[in-house]
Amino acid sequence: GAGVSQSPRYKVAKRGQDVALRCDPISGHVSLFWYQQALGQGPEFLTYFQNEAQLDKSGLPSDRFFAERPEGSVSTLKIQRTQQEDSAVYLCASSPLAGGSFEQYFGPGTRLTVT
Amino acid sequence: GENVEQHPSTLSVQEGDSAVIKCTYSDSASNYFPWYKQELGKRPQLIIDIRSNVGEKKDQRIAVTLNKTAKHFSLHITETQPEDSAVYFCAASRSGNRDDKIIFGKGTRLHILP
């Protein structure tokens, strides 16, 4: 079956632009996570949704970052007024059960480059 | 805050030898410890996981051990093969709470030498 998909795969933004990154989780998966992965680093937790509820957003680095999952399926990570330090791969992962203690299925990521 | 330390950052082993990667965690409430493998340019994929109610788990050439008292866990790969070359990430999380985040280590780049 289809895995987690993300779009766009690559995004180049000028500093100050707003961007929106999309995640399509595996159908029926309850949990959805967003991570930021800088080059040569591990994924850093950004936020977690259980269905449409955003239960944890403690990893969002600033109020320029906003995520939503209004119908408990597709999620969008929005970054306003992008800065160079926002350049990274943004990974989305989903899991069939609630919580972070089960296998997460990762998408291919969106590589964001802010120039 | 919660932290997961992973060592070494780079590891080179001869093909056929064993590789060991070690992680420590800070949150004593953590009870789920997965290991992910990420090949260059690809997405992380789960290779093995362990829960806090067991001390060891094995799957063919891969094994993970957990010491809850010392708050450390390790990945062991035996009879390494070229396809084992990748970046490996350990992680820790706690279940049963609304804030079920998972904290990843910084990764170990494993090189299998021919």
Side-chain angles (χ1 to χ4, degrees):
Chain A
V4 178
S5 61
Q6 292 184 245
S7 61
R9 292 292 314 278
Y10 304 91
K11 177 69 178 177
V12 179
K14 290 190 190 307
R15 191 161 60 98
Q17 277 185 330
D18 298 348
V19 298
L21 312 180
R22 178 187 169 108
C23 172
D24 284 79
I26 294 172
S27 178
H29 276 201
V30 169
S31 296
L32 187 145
F33 300 80
W34 282 99
Y35 297 92
Q36 182 189 62
Q37 187 174 28
L39 192 62
Q41 301 293 315
E44 296 252 1
F45 170 84
L46 294 177
T47 187
Y48 161 58
F49 290 86
Q50 188 179 116
N51 297 308
E52 70 279 3
Q54 188 175 21
L55 297 190
D56 190 341
K57 54 182 180 179
S58 62
L60 296 176
S62 77
D63 58 8
R64 296 185 296 103
F65 286 70
F66 171 77
E68 60 183 4
R69 194 187 185 198
E71 297 177 1
S73 176
V74 171
S75 178
T76 304
L77 176 67
K78 297 179 180 177
I79 309 174
Q80 296 177 321
R81 304 181 303 282
T82 52
Q83 304 293 315
Q84 281 196 310
E85 61 263 28
D86 300 336
S87 295
V89 174
Y90 289 85
L91 292 166
C92 171
S94 70
S95 176
L97 300 172
S101 299
F102 305 95
E103 179 176 2
Q104 296 189 17
Y105 297 81
F106 282 84
T110 294
R111 182 177 297 278
L112 173 65
T113 304
V114 181
T115 61
Chain B
E2 303 92 333
N3 189 43
V4 174
E5 297 283 343
Q6 182 169 351
H7 300 279
S9 57
T10 305
L11 177 62
S12 297
V13 301
Q14 290 293 138
E15 182 179 348
D17 287 352
S18 295
V20 180
I21 302 170
K22 299 183 179 183
C23 289
T24 58
Y25 59 97
S26 61
D27 184 358
S28 56
S30 295
N31 55 13
Y32 175 67
F33 307 92
W35 287 88
Y36 284 83
K37 175 182 180 183
Q38 187 173 29
E39 297 177 35
L40 189 63
K42 296 191 175 179
R43 68 193 77 187
Q45 291 195 302
L46 182 75
I47 55 170
I48 194 167
D49 56 14
I50 190 168
R51 298 188 186 276
S52 57
N53 56 345
V54 297
E56 185 173 357
K57 184 176 178 180
K58 190 172 181 181
D59 182 5
Q60 299 183 342
R61 296 187 296 108
I62 295 173
V64 58
T65 59
L66 171 65
N67 183 327
K68 284 217 73 177
T69 304
K71 291 192 284 188
H72 67 69
F73 56 115
S74 301
L75 177 72
H76 305 251
I77 306 175
T78 58
E79 301 170 21
T80 52
Q81 299 170 4
E83 55 265 34
D84 295 331
S85 294
V87 179
Y88 291 81
F89 295 100
C90 63
S93 77
R94 49 194 163 94
S95 61
N97 301 293
R98 286 171 63 85
D99 55 334
D100 267 312
K101 71 177 71 168
I102 182 166
I103 306 298
F104 282 84
K106 294 192 183 303
T108 295
R109 185 172 297 279
L110 176 63
H111 299 275
I112 306 302
L113 306 172

